Amino acid sequence: MANTSPSLRRAALLVSAVAVLGLTTTACGNGSGTVSSPQTQSGTAAPAGGDPSADGSGTPVTSSSGSDTTTATGSDSISPTTSSGSSTSTTSTSGSSRCHTSELRANVGGNDPGAGQENFPIVLTNMSGRTCTVRGFPGAAFVNASGTQLGANPVRESGGTVTTVTLKPGRSAWAGLTFSNPEISGAKTATPTTLVVTPPDEKDPLKVTWTNGAVPVSGNSSSVRLTVFSAGTGA
């Protein structure tokens, strides 16, 4: 083989190096001969070996819409409001409103018999801190220990003058409860345990223990009658 001079060997090596560099540049391109710029991907892969709930910095990610960050809007977070119930002491500027059942106490006064009649006052007392009114007739019914009504509903006496009774705190109004003495009328009787009283224009009743013996429930002159409310206790 012929000897090659050092100059030719160096030229051959330089040509080989350029050829290798050209092949490497082509392999790193995008297929068009032009080198691509680095690409940033927006993938959502979790950090390698980390907590899937982490953001890559080691800090747990908390969703802004998750239950831990949602502000409660239920009744526990509602600002308290002033009650308009029986404890309210403010009187309306347009006049006193009617007394509600929750503001009243009921009791039955002593018997005032006369001319074969038994006469009891049904007394309502204003137990609230405000002034209120009652007007008209009460509702009433006798019931036994099981809550069953005894006799028909009382009837309203005609001819009475209906007035509005204004009750300041602690004041009372009364309505008459009247029936014929059963021993005189011969009416069939029963002995109630309770008189149920409903204030005028109210639906909720008050219960009063009845301790005045038998009342007429059927037969001759068995009607129980009621009068309208007047100021006072009827004593």
Side-chain angles (χ1 to χ4, degrees), residues 76-171:
D76 289 343
S77 63
I78 296 175
S79 299
T81 56
T82 302
S83 171
S84 59
S86 60
S87 61
T88 302
S89 59
T90 302
T91 302
S92 172
T93 57
S94 62
S96 300
S97 61
R98 77 171 187 269
C99 300
H100 300 295
T101 301
S102 61
E103 300 174 303
L104 298 169
R105 181 188 67 197
N107 68 283
V108 177
N111 186 16
D112 183 20
Q117 299 292 311
E118 310 299 324
N119 306 298
F120 298 90
I122 298 174
V123 182
L124 295 181
T125 302
N126 180 8
M127 304 301 293
S128 75
R130 71 182 185 102
T131 298
C132 58
T133 62
V134 294
R135 179 182 174 87
F137 295 88
F142 291 111
V143 299
N144 60 20
S146 63
T148 302
Q149 181 172 333
L150 303 175
N153 290 330
V155 297
R156 296 176 174 182
E157 288 275 19
S158 61
T161 301
V162 178
T163 60
T164 299
V165 182
T166 300
L167 299 181
K168 293 182 179 181
R171 308 297 283 185

Side-chain angles (χ1 to χ4, degrees), residues 12-33:
L13 290 174
L14 180 59
V15 171
S16 299
V18 171
V20 171
L21 179 61
L23 291 174
T24 303
T25 302
T26 302
C28 292
N30 58 8
S32 63

